[in-house]
Amino acid sequence: MRSIGIYYAYWTDSWEADFLPFIPKVKALGFDQLEINGGALVKLTGQQRMKLKESAEENGISLSYGIGLTANYDVSSLNENIRREGVNFMKRMISAVADMGGGMIGGTVHSYWPATPPGNLSVKENILKKSHQSMKEMIPLAEDLNVILNVEVINRFEQFLLNTCQEAVDYVEEVNSPNCKILLDTFHMNIEEDSFFDAIKLAGPHLAALHLGETNRKPPGCGRIPWAEIKTALDAIDFNGPLVMEPFIRPGGQVGKDIALWRDLMPGADLDKEATKAADFVRKTLC
């Protein structure tokens, strides 16, 4: 049975939050997993992290961690000082996740977000090489501490380095570590991939987790993503990783700005009820 998770920022307009109340909440709503901000985890004290870990264990909830590295921590930067800062920050995050018992960090662990493409795309190859260098510096620590780094394939309007599954496969094969995997996202795939089935099949054993969202980032079941096709592909590769919903529907705050939410996508919606409905849909459709 594939586990079903949800990202905490569905309920917030700030990337900084008290994650503790979300653990019993998502349990009550029918989820198996909560994804939280890995960058914020670094700032917590050891005692605060222990409280999160204990609450997750008491509620039977798995934790995973998302990150959109900011430009000052860009591990793909051609500026060596910025690149080193990014690598050091990621190492602190890996250690923080290890304190929680290990697990997955997914997102732009390979670059930064939201990103502005370089003015001259001819330097993209050099940026990619810097990203490879950084990942190879981070991954030994991840291997030692039982942490998986999932490079996320993100659409061209938010990032420029890895826009397709093929680019991500090339990336992880270059890194060549069992702890460097791929995170696909149905919202981004809808923009960039010719086929959901083919992309998932291509990722194969490299695919560690799948983010779920409709074409406009509403919760699964509210739109036109071809979920049956996705289920067929997941079954074809014997995927047993987590299915983590990442819906964003309310404008406002830094979250709304970064996600480019300029209107309320579901006016008057009860977020908790919609989350439960989506969890039921995913369980029936993809598990």
Side-chain angles (χ1 to χ4, degrees):
M1 181 66 71
R2 294 163 185 143
S3 62
I4 301 172
I6 189 168
Y7 193 47
Y8 78 102
Y10 169 61
W11 287 280
T12 74
D13 64 5
S14 172
W15 300 119
E16 302 290 334
D18 179 3
F19 304 121
L20 200 57
F22 290 106
I23 295 174
K25 172 193 273 286
V26 300
K27 178 66 174 181
L29 296 178
F31 291 91
D32 310 302
Q33 182 167 321
L34 173 67
E35 190 151 296
I36 64 176
N37 182 348
L41 187 73
V42 176
K43 301 176 183 178
L44 299 183
T45 65
Q47 185 178 22
Q48 288 171 321
R49 287 197 288 265
M50 187 56 61
K51 285 184 178 180
L52 282 176
K53 180 181 179 182
E54 291 173 351
S55 179
E57 291 172 348
E58 290 169 2
N59 285 277
I61 290 292
S62 298
L63 294 175
S64 55
Y65 310 89
I67 186 63
L69 287 172
T70 50
N72 57 312
Y73 289 139
D74 175 14
V75 295
S76 66
S77 178
L78 298 179
N79 181 312
E80 184 61 14
N81 289 333
I82 292 175
R83 191 191 72 82
R84 290 302 317 163
E85 283 293 314
V87 169
N88 290 336
F89 182 72
M90 278 298 304
K91 285 182 176 179
R92 294 200 299 274
M93 194 185 311
I94 290 166
S95 296
V97 169
D99 287 346
M100 305 289 290
M104 296 182 182
I105 305 173
T108 49
V109 294
H110 57 288
S111 189
Y112 77 106
W113 175 92
T116 301
N120 183 353
L121 282 177
S122 65
V123 303
K124 178 176 173 177
E125 186 61 31
N126 293 333
I127 295 172
L128 187 61
K129 287 179 181 177
K130 288 295 184 181
S131 179
H132 288 153
Q133 178 184 347
S134 295
M135 185 61 72
K136 289 176 181 178
E137 291 174 9
M138 298 184 294
I139 210 68
L141 181 64
E143 291 174 351
D144 289 344
L145 298 180
N146 192 32
V147 174
I148 306 296
L149 301 183
N150 293 332
V151 296
E152 184 171 8
V153 182
I154 299 176
N155 75 77
R156 72 190 79 174
F157 304 109
E158 299 180 46
Q159 236 289 328
F160 61 90
L161 212 52
L162 304 179
N163 297 139
T164 69
C165 185
Q166 181 63 67
E167 290 177 320
V169 169
D170 293 343
Y171 187 98
V172 299
E173 290 184 349
E174 167 65 26
V175 175
N176 191 29
S177 166
N179 289 61
C180 183
K181 296 288 190 178
I182 292 174
L183 167 62
L184 291 178
D185 183 309
T186 60
F187 169 75
H188 301 302
M189 294 171 72
N190 177 68
I191 296 172
E192 300 293 350
E193 304 290 353
D194 293 329
S195 163
F196 285 89
F197 180 90
D198 290 347
I200 291 171
K201 189 74 180 295
L202 176 65
H206 299 302
L207 185 64
L210 182 67
H211 274 176
L212 309 179
E214 292 290 355
T215 58
N216 51 10
R217 305 205 95 157
K218 286 183 180 179
C222 297
R224 53 185 172 81
I225 289 289
W227 299 110
E229 176 186 343
I230 291 169
K231 169 69 158 58
T232 300
L234 295 175
D235 290 347
I237 65 170
D238 294 322
F239 177 77
N240 290 311
L243 305 167
V244 180
M245 299 187 328
E246 198 182 33
F248 296 99
I249 63 173
R250 296 272 172 87
Q254 193 62 45
V255 172
K257 180 180 179 181
D258 289 343
I259 298 295
L261 273 169
W262 314 125
R263 68 189 191 281
D264 191 337
L265 297 188
M266 300 176 71
D270 182 315
L271 295 187
D272 289 0
K273 287 183 179 179
E274 292 299 330
T276 294
K277 187 191 304 182
D280 290 342
F281 173 84
V282 171
R283 189 163 281 110
K284 293 174 183 175
T285 308
L286 295 181
C287 294

